[in-house]
Amino acid sequence: MSILLDVPLTEPPEIVAMGRNAHGFEPVDRYCLPDLWSLHLYGYEARVRVDEREFEVRPGSIGLTPPGSTLETHYRGISVHIYVHFRAHGDSRLLPMMHDLGDRYDEIYRRLYAAHRFQEREPRRVASCLWDVLWDLTDVGRVDDHPAVGHPAVMAAVERISKRLSEPISVEALAEEVGVSTSYLAKLFRATYGETVVAFIRRQRVERAIHLLQRSTLPIKAVAASVGIPDLQHFNKLIRSETGLSPRGLRESRAK
């Protein structure tokens, strides 16, 4: 089952960077774009980690990385892919985080490769091409094929998690509040997000912490407390593991 993402799609995307790059000179590549979506068109095998999720990438795959997520790629030799970094606008549609394009790979590769040559002269044309490709992916993310997506218990749980990130959150208590068993809530989260409830809560805390570190002047201690991780040593370790930088370093990198 595909892991689905809510991608703003009803207005044309705004492309910030696009190209065709060779990687693998270093075995591991790791980065995080706080404000941008990333699309990668893979023609090689690799192991990819997006936050808590891991994928075995096969030639002919397409991947989407949400803003604020850390993308870590483990290469198996020199690897060439097409990438697009963009801002998405409008109402959301469900798209797969990682998908094997099969016979459609060559066609989409040609479309994006041809488009990137015009990004400076005809940016609207290039944005239109990317928009078409993203809309093509909505067929993969139809809600009818994924009954857990939009399940009332999941929606209610996510809302409660968002409001209570500064507090301790018990999965058992959360399940009781939304009216399902702990095991069934775990099954729903696995089907919807591809991860456990605990991993989802952790990711939400990290994403909010990164946002606050980069977008606010709150003291680091206050940021840690606001996302439910008052232990500064643990907070520093968590942020460094996710971004490669300490909380202070992450804030300073944004200022630069």
Side-chain angles (χ1 to χ4, degrees):
M1 178 177 289
S2 297
I3 296 172
L4 302 179
L5 301 172
D6 286 311
V7 183
L9 199 61
T10 55
E11 297 178 19
E14 175 191 349
I15 296 177
V16 176
M18 183 178 188
R20 181 174 178 268
N21 277 355
H23 293 266
F25 301 100
E26 297 292 335
V28 181
D29 183 38
R30 194 170 191 263
Y31 71 89
C32 173
L33 300 177
D35 304 315
L36 301 176
W37 288 84
S38 293
L39 178 147
H40 290 88
L41 199 59
Y42 298 101
Y44 52 84
E45 293 185 353
R47 181 166 59 86
V48 169
R49 181 182 176 91
V50 182
D51 295 331
E52 296 298 317
R53 308 177 180 93
E54 287 196 0
F55 305 90
E56 284 296 324
V57 172
R58 304 298 180 194
S61 299
I62 190 168
L64 280 170
T65 305
S69 292
T70 300
L71 175 64
E72 181 178 287
T73 307
H74 295 252
Y75 298 101
R76 295 166 184 165
I78 304 304
S79 308
V80 179
H81 63 231
I82 289 178
Y83 72 93
V84 189
H85 298 158
F86 63 97
R87 294 186 178 92
H89 305 286
D91 296 331
S92 296
R93 295 293 185 271
L94 291 170
L95 276 70
M97 175 176 274
M98 189 70 68
H99 179 61
D100 183 352
L101 291 169
D103 294 339
R104 301 170 64 193
Y105 174 81
D106 289 340
E107 173 208 349
I108 290 178
Y109 184 95
R110 285 194 297 267
R111 285 160 63 186
L112 290 177
Y113 182 72
H116 95 276
R117 296 177 298 169
F118 299 98
Q119 58 184 314
E120 293 185 3
R121 289 180 291 161
E122 301 180 54
R124 290 184 180 178
R125 174 180 175 181
V126 180
S128 178
C129 176
L130 174 62
W131 202 17
D132 285 343
V133 169
L134 293 173
W135 270 109
D136 284 347
L137 293 175
T138 59
D139 289 339
V140 182
R142 288 177 298 177
V143 176
D144 292 344
D145 297 333
H146 302 272
V149 177
H151 192 287
V154 173
M155 297 171 67
V158 169
E159 182 180 4
R160 284 167 170 77
I161 290 168
S162 178
K163 291 179 178 178
R164 300 177 186 171
L165 281 184
S166 63
E167 309 168 11
I169 300 174
S170 161
V171 178
E172 291 78 10
L174 189 64
E176 184 176 353
E177 286 183 39
V178 301
V180 298
S181 69
T182 303
S183 60
Y184 188 54
L185 185 64
K187 182 178 179 180
L188 290 173
F189 265 74
R190 180 71 70 180
T192 306
Y193 298 106
E195 60 189 355
T196 65
V197 184
V198 171
F200 179 88
I201 295 170
R202 178 179 181 273
R203 179 163 59 85
Q204 295 303 305
R205 284 179 164 146
V206 168
E207 289 177 359
R208 185 172 295 183
I210 290 172
H211 175 80
L212 290 173
L213 288 168
Q214 296 184 320
R215 296 290 187 177
S216 78
T217 57
L218 283 173
I220 291 174
K221 184 176 181 180
V223 172
S226 73
V227 298
I229 313 174
D231 183 332
L232 275 181
Q233 184 175 359
H234 177 55
F235 180 72
N236 288 342
K237 183 178 180 180
L238 180 61
I239 296 301
R240 188 180 291 277
S241 71
E242 293 296 325
T243 68
L245 297 170
S246 67
R248 186 178 301 279
L250 184 64
R251 173 165 280 175
E252 290 173 352
S253 70
R254 174 68 182 181
K256 292 178 183 178

